[in-house]
Amino acid sequence: MKAAVLKDYGQPVTIEDVELRPPKKGEVLVKIKAAGICHSDLHVVSADLPLPVPMVLGHEGAGIVEDVGEGVTRVKQGDHVVLNWVPECGTCYYCNIGRKDMCDEAQATAQSGTMPDGTTRFHLNEEEIFQFSMTGTFSEFTVVPENGVIPIRKDVPFAQAALVGCGVLTGYGAVVNTAKVKPGSSVVIIGAGGVGLNIIQAAQLAGAAKIIAVDLSPRKFDLAMQFGATDTIDASEDDVIDQVIELTGGRGADYAFEVIGNPNTIAQAYNCLGKGGTAVVVGIAPPHLDVSINAFSIPAQSRTITGSWYGQSNPIVDVPKILDLYMVNKIKLDELISKTYQSLDGINEAFQDIKEGKVARSVVEF
Ligand code: APR
Ligand code: ZN
Ligand code: ZN
């Protein structure tokens, strides 16, 4: 069985003939039909998101249930599923208060690159191969925990469904679940990439009046407008904060989303806010970096800075909802797919395209 393996940081992924061990109790074997390539995969390659190697990357995917381990009730063979990269344990404090996105066990297991029992299902020449966040979608098949599969309707194409597993849910959830954007408000999105475009379209769906897309790469602006942006700012030419203040009648924005993972743009998002505004950090910055913001302005202008991990979502509820919205043309998914590859060989090229800001999303279709 073929899988794309990152053997060491900074290296291209290589296509290997790996062994996949069968699903244990409470686990599911999925035949991957489509996998999206997200900037978080690239964060692992660059070691900005420090995870163990060798690893099967890919965390955005959809496929068909091939087999289930003992005791699995959520899905059966033949079901179509989207993979969930925060498969909650269901019993920790955060799961109990309804914050599955913050599940202690899912976070700890993702760090170890294993399954919840501490072992790996992928092997190469008897060596353990780690698995990105209990998913590992750059592979013909994968084994995941039962809570790592979200059953979906069968009339959505796999490539479109795959994107909902990370980029769409992360962006949509940041708007709907974290910020709870109100109708008529002004919203700034810094970084109009695969995730940022979904913040733009969710902000439009939530009724935002002003949706300002900021990017370094002007080729993102046509797409941003298509997804609902009302204005664009070219960060390579213009002063972002001045422009936002001007576009919001001198007040600053009600909401600003950082969707890059860079302390400078996180501070920029905060500095775009008007009084009472909320900055939502979605981009994943390297863990050792800090952000500097003005202390006085936090109380004096009643500003909020918060984070959003995986759209603060409840995937079993939110993924089918987003697919229903797609089927009634209220969420765009087709337009997110800039390039498709018919084999895992395309992944290194897709990484290069992300680095150069060329694509919304690339998808491997199996
Ligand atoms: N100012 C404005 N835009 C920038 C800047 C900058 N300084 N630096 C990068 N960008 C733009 C890029 O041009 C690109 O359009 O940010 C966008 C990032 O988009 P993608 O590379 O497609 O990344 P995406 O998959 O959307 O992920 C964004 O969210 O979930 C996290 O880990 C993910 O940190 C990553 C972030
Ligand atoms: Zn992702
Ligand atoms: Zn938990």
Side-chain angles (χ1 to χ4, degrees), residues 29-327:
L29 171 66
V30 180
K31 181 180 171 60
I32 301 292
K33 298 292 288 177
I37 295 135
C38 172
H39 210 120
S40 300
D41 296 301
L42 204 50
H43 286 331
V44 182
V45 177
S46 64
D48 285 340
L49 187 57
L51 293 175
V53 289
M55 175 173 270
V56 176
L57 295 179
H59 58 284
E60 200 175 74
I64 302 176
V65 173
E66 187 84 2
D67 194 12
V68 297
E70 189 194 327
V72 169
T73 55
R74 180 182 279 200
V75 289
K76 58 184 186 312
Q77 199 185 20
D79 283 353
H80 291 199
V81 292
V82 161
L83 297 195
N84 162 18
W85 57 261
V86 187
E88 74 279 6
C89 75
T91 55
C92 74
Y93 175 79
Y94 294 99
C95 282
N96 276 322
I97 62 165
R99 286 294 304 270
K100 294 178 182 178
D101 58 312
M102 289 289 107
C103 171
D104 281 330
E105 192 180 306
Q107 286 194 344
T109 307
Q111 285 297 315
S112 70
T114 65
M115 291 290 273
D117 71 355
T119 65
T120 67
R121 298 296 159 272
F122 290 99
H123 290 80
L124 182 61
N125 308 324
E126 295 305 311
E127 188 196 0
E128 287 194 312
I129 305 289
F130 298 104
Q131 181 176 2
F132 192 4
S133 216
M134 287 166 273
T135 48
T137 56
F138 295 168
S139 176
E140 292 175 327
F141 293 86
T142 188
V143 170
V144 302
E146 179 170 11
N147 287 347
V149 289
I150 309 295
I152 58 164
R153 51 194 291 173
K154 289 190 170 171
D155 52 0
V156 177
F158 287 108
Q160 281 77 346
L163 303 187
V164 179
C166 180
V168 183
L169 183 56
T170 299
Y172 172 92
V175 172
V176 173
N177 300 328
T178 306
K180 301 185 175 73
V181 168
K182 292 195 185 70
S185 49
S186 56
V187 179
V188 177
I189 298 90
I190 306 179
V195 180
L197 287 169
N198 289 296
I199 295 182
I200 295 173
Q201 66 170 332
Q204 188 189 47
L205 199 59
K210 207 150 204 47
I211 302 175
I212 307 167
V214 182
D215 207 286
L216 274 182
S217 166
R219 71 177 113 201
K220 293 292 165 77
F221 294 150
D222 283 347
L223 261 180
M225 299 297 275
Q226 200 186 335
F227 274 68
T230 57
D231 301 87
T232 57
I233 300 174
D234 181 349
S236 67
E237 300 233 313
D238 294 317
D239 186 290
V240 172
I241 298 158
D242 285 354
Q243 289 282 311
V244 169
I245 306 269
E246 197 181 312
L247 286 166
T248 52
R251 280 208 308 271
D254 297 319
Y255 305 93
F257 293 85
E258 198 274 358
V259 210
I260 300 161
N262 173 331
N264 297 324
T265 41
I266 292 170
Q268 195 174 57
Y270 180 84
N271 289 322
C272 284
L273 296 175
K275 292 179 186 174
T278 301
V280 181
V281 180
V282 177
I284 302 172
H288 59 280
L289 300 181
D290 295 326
V291 181
S292 175
I293 52 174
N294 179 264
F296 178 73
S297 69
I298 304 172
Q301 297 180 2
S302 189
R303 297 195 214 175
T304 302
I305 181 161
T306 185
S308 186
W309 187 253
Y310 208 18
Q312 207 173 315
S313 60
N314 179 359
I316 191 94
V317 174
D318 290 335
V319 168
K321 243 187 223 177
I322 292 172
L323 293 175
D324 287 346
L325 287 167
Y326 165 70
M327 293 305 280

